[in-house]
Amino acid sequence: MNRAEIRSRIRSRSAAWDIVVAGGGATGVGVAIDAATRGYDVLLLEQSDFGKGASSRSTKLVHGGVRYLEHGDLSLVMEALKERGLLLRNAPHLVRNLGFVVPRYDWWEAPFYGIGLKIYDLLAGKYGFGASRILSLEQTREYLPTVELEGLRGGVLYFDGQFDDSRLLINLVATAFEQGATLLNYAAVEALTRDAQGYVNGVVAVDAESGEEFRATAKVVINATGAFGDNLRRKADAAAVPMIAPSQGIHLVFNRGFLPGATAIMVPHTSDGRVMFAIPWHGHTLVGTTDTPIAEPALEPVAMEEEVDFLLSTASRYLAGKPTRADVLSVFAGIRPLVRAGAGAKTAALSRDHVVHIDKSGLVTICGGKWTTYRKMAEDCVNQAATLAQLEERASITSRLNIHGFHDSSENFGDLAVYGADAPAILKLADEEPSLATRLHPGLPYIAAEVVWAVRQEMARTVEDVLARRTRALFLNSRAALEMAPAVAELMARELGAGEAWKTHQLTAFEAIASNYQLHRGG
Ligand SMILES: Cc1cc2nc3c(=O)[nH]c(=O)nc-3n(C[C@H](O)[C@H](O)[C@H](O)COP(=O)(O)OP(=O)(O)OC[C@H]3O[C@@H](n4cnc5c(N)ncnc54)[C@H](O)[C@@H]3O)c2cc1C
């Protein structure tokens, strides 16, 4: 994963790629892996860092989606539950089984959620994570020592998956490289090229680091740009009818004290009919999410005041600690690339199913779905793209493909567990140069060796890449991340051979980004 080498590989290539993918989130990288493992020649271009979009901003659940049961979308839930099981098998270092308790404050909730969650268990079949069960008041208090007790009657326990989204994405990028794909970050697709018949036959992209424009021709171009999907479609056909309904969701992060146990809380019906989770994640408490339709997607979305107020007031109803604005360590927003329904439909009610759409120009767009189903989305998309491009027919093999870092007992690596099989190499860096064993902040577990590793092995190019997506510092505690930034810039500059001007620019840029992850007084 050496960027300069990849740039020259792309520059020296004159033949058409089988597939060019625009977008380096879960969907695009999933497509690159699926295509490469089938033996197709694939190039992926990401305008920013891998995972900059929704794929680093999720609730971090690998789940079937309990709430879609209510919509009667059983096949969607079943498909996601199967993918949940496959992901646990293929990336055990990053996915774990987590208990969730639905607290019960009304008499009817025990039979209602109890039966619903039994159906959830049944739909998982052999991919099940454990049997759900109704809990007494006493048991509920044991699982959730900080749950609001007033009016509490008991709970219902069920199991789902949890993961670290951007860590998995970086491991997927590594997997794609290992399978022979070529991927480049900081390379935006600016235009699409067409053949004499008007069919899309390649892309024009710009390398954000050098400003250089380059072209790549392809037998088929796949648009996996998430919430930005319609923008790219309009580059092929200015009159393309929009198919994406972008919807913003935010999360608040608090210290672990608000939810000190090992169990999450699931609230199936908030005051406005949404679902809310409070989840233990990387030694903190993650609360989310909202579902707010927005007009235009942004690369760095910002939480709205109403969203923050809604989460704080809902969290206060279920957490005895009643978190306030002053307790928020970080707030982050993401945009779901949902598939549009008829005018006026609520985004919370839109299906999370995915769609592969082929425009008249031959541009293939994959959108919708969710992180959990990225593999299946990729498989369906490559099936259709290969047919369209008349590539030799080959079956997908990703359901049994180990993801980079695969390790059965990575918890033995302690704070480096998320690196799985890569952890010993990071420890070796710290062994060889003891200063790299230093923690970068007293409140977070990250050590200097991880920064060096991110630059050398994971294509991190900016301070933000390291603090937001190679480590999760910015998402866990934005002030701590700001305090770490100078040391990270120093370590990165040394690796990249960059000077003072680079460091200053990086720190200014990071301060601006980090400000979006903080709640401002009165604002
Ligand atoms: C708040 C929230 C919570 C969620 N929680 C969960 C959850 O718990 N579990 C779950 O399974 N799913 C969850 N999801 C859904 C999941 O995160 C998304 O479905 C998934 O990440 C979408 O991936 P993607 O690759 O399609 O989009 P993205 O991750 O947004 O990737 C698209 C990429 O395309 C790039 N791009 C755009 N234009 C161009 C261009 N012209 N050239 C090159 N690159 C371009 C962008 O920079 C971006 O990186 C959640 C989503 C949100 C927003």
Side-chain angles (χ1 to χ4, degrees):
M1 286 170 76
N2 176 303
R3 197 172 184 281
E5 220 171 79
I6 296 160
R7 274 298 287 119
S8 75
R9 196 192 299 175
I10 298 170
R11 209 177 279 126
S12 62
R13 168 122 185 174
S14 53
W17 301 83
D18 289 331
I19 298 176
V20 169
V21 183
T27 310
V29 178
V31 166
I33 294 175
D34 192 283
T37 48
R38 295 191 205 204
Y40 302 141
D41 214 3
V42 55
L43 169 68
L44 178 147
L45 301 171
E46 161 57 48
Q47 65 176 353
S48 173
D49 184 27
F50 301 118
K52 168 78 180 179
S55 300
S56 58
R57 301 160 185 274
S58 76
T59 311
K60 333 293 179 202
L61 299 181
V62 184
H63 62 163
V66 174
R67 75 191 177 98
Y68 311 124
L69 283 179
E70 251 185 273
H71 303 172
D73 235 338
L74 296 196
S75 58
L76 183 71
V77 176
M78 215 166 141
E79 177 177 274
L81 286 171
K82 178 178 173 192
E83 291 301 316
R84 178 186 75 165
L86 294 179
L87 201 48
L88 177 65
R89 186 174 73 198
N90 297 336
H93 60 300
L94 281 172
V95 180
R96 69 180 186 120
N97 192 340
L98 181 67
F100 290 73
V101 171
V102 181
R104 298 187 282 114
Y105 294 92
D106 268 313
W107 67 266
W108 54 268
E109 289 176 315
F112 186 74
Y113 296 122
I115 292 169
L117 289 163
K118 277 287 166 233
I119 296 174
Y120 196 63
D121 294 349
L122 271 175
L123 291 175
K126 65 175 181 172
Y127 297 102
F129 271 35
S132 62
R133 64 176 194 274
I134 292 175
L135 302 179
S136 66
L137 176 61
E138 229 7 80
Q139 288 168 321
T140 306
R141 288 177 67 164
E142 272 165 36
Y143 277 102
L144 301 176
T146 53
V147 71
E148 176 57 65
L149 293 175
E150 205 185 317
L152 186 71
R153 289 165 179 258
V156 185
L157 174 71
Y158 74 99
F159 297 90
D160 237 328
Q162 183 190 34
F163 74 134
D164 181 329
D165 49 10
S166 70
R167 248 299 104 224
L168 177 60
L169 187 76
I170 299 304
N171 280 178
L172 289 177
V173 170
T175 309
F177 272 110
E178 283 158 9
Q179 297 299 327
T182 302
L183 299 87
L184 189 68
N185 53 3
Y186 293 101
V189 172
E190 299 281 354
L192 298 165
T193 57
R194 315 247 218 147
D195 66 12
Q197 283 76 45
Y199 291 117
V200 170
N201 68 352
V203 301
V204 180
V206 173
D207 178 347
E209 292 194 353
S210 64
E212 193 188 342
E213 185 180 284
F214 62 95
R215 281 161 190 264
T217 51
K219 295 178 188 156
V220 59
V221 174
I222 295 178
N223 172 11
T225 57
F228 301 88
D230 286 330
N231 296 357
L232 194 61
R233 289 178 61 235
R234 278 193 288 266
K235 291 187 200 285
D237 173 6
V241 177
M243 55 183 291
I244 290 165
S247 157
Q248 175 157 305
I250 74 152
H251 294 87
L252 302 178
V253 180
F254 304 101
N255 72 34
R256 189 178 138 77
F258 286 98
L259 192 67
T263 311
I265 299 180
M266 194 271 208
V267 177
H269 275 284
T270 57
S271 57
D272 63 351
R274 297 189 267 208
V275 173
M276 199 198 72
F277 293 97
I279 304 173
W281 190 61
H282 287 330
H284 291 70
T285 302
L286 179 67
V287 172
T289 176
T290 53
D291 210 322
T292 317
I294 50 167
E296 280 300 320
L299 194 56
E300 189 53 61
V302 180
M304 298 166 208
E305 280 306 309
E306 313 84 86
E307 293 180 293
V308 174
D309 291 343
F310 171 77
L311 283 189
L312 280 175
S313 68
T314 312
S316 299
R317 291 183 55 192
Y318 295 91
L319 296 174
K322 314 247 174 274
T324 67
R325 293 177 75 89
D327 297 309
V328 175
L329 299 176
S330 210
V331 49
F332 61 91
I335 300 175
R336 299 176 187 86
L338 301 182
V339 181
R340 244 171 215 261
K346 262 184 116 180
T347 49
L350 290 186
S351 168
R352 266 50 172 172
D353 210 349
H354 62 271
V355 167
V356 180
H357 172 87
I358 304 177
D359 276 305
K360 284 198 291 263
S361 63
L363 177 69
V364 177
T365 297
I366 165 93
C367 62
K370 50 188 182 167
W371 233 121
T372 308
T373 53
Y374 86 95
R375 192 209 64 80
K376 181 70 171 71
M377 292 168 70
E379 178 179 337
D380 291 350
C381 179
V382 175
N383 282 345
Q384 297 208 30
T387 306
L388 184 71
Q390 299 179 27
L391 303 177
E392 190 187 311
E393 208 170 299
R394 295 177 200 142
S396 172
I397 58 161
T398 52
S399 63
R400 290 206 158 262
L401 182 74
N402 286 354
I403 290 164
H404 180 94
F406 178 98
H407 199 285
D408 268 336
S409 44
S410 67
E411 62 283 359
N412 295 338
F413 298 124
D415 289 338
L416 296 180
V418 288
Y419 291 93
D422 284 337
I426 298 168
L427 288 170
K428 189 161 172 268
L429 283 178
D431 253 10
E432 285 164 0
E433 196 180 329
S435 67
L436 295 183
T438 322
R439 269 200 182 204
L440 295 167
H441 194 278
L444 292 171
Y446 305 116
I447 58 169
E450 294 177 68
V451 181
V452 173
W453 178 261
V455 176
R456 288 190 196 162
Q457 305 292 340
E458 298 183 337
M459 266 167 100
R461 308 298 297 175
T462 70
V463 166
E464 183 206 336
D465 296 350
V466 168
L467 287 168
R469 290 169 295 276
R470 303 308 181 281
T471 70
R472 305 315 307 268
L474 181 62
F475 285 74
L476 292 172
N477 186 331
S478 54
R479 283 190 198 286
L482 266 176
E483 286 160 22
M484 289 160 73
V488 171
E490 197 62 50
L491 285 158
M492 291 186 78
R494 192 186 77 169
E495 286 300 310
L496 295 166
E500 285 306 317
W502 183 88
K503 282 191 267 180
T504 309
H505 170 74
Q506 284 296 313
L507 291 177
T508 313
F510 184 67
E511 272 167 34
I513 295 272
S515 137
N516 295 333
Y517 292 70
Q518 286 169 4
L519 290 189
H520 300 283
R521 215 181 288 259

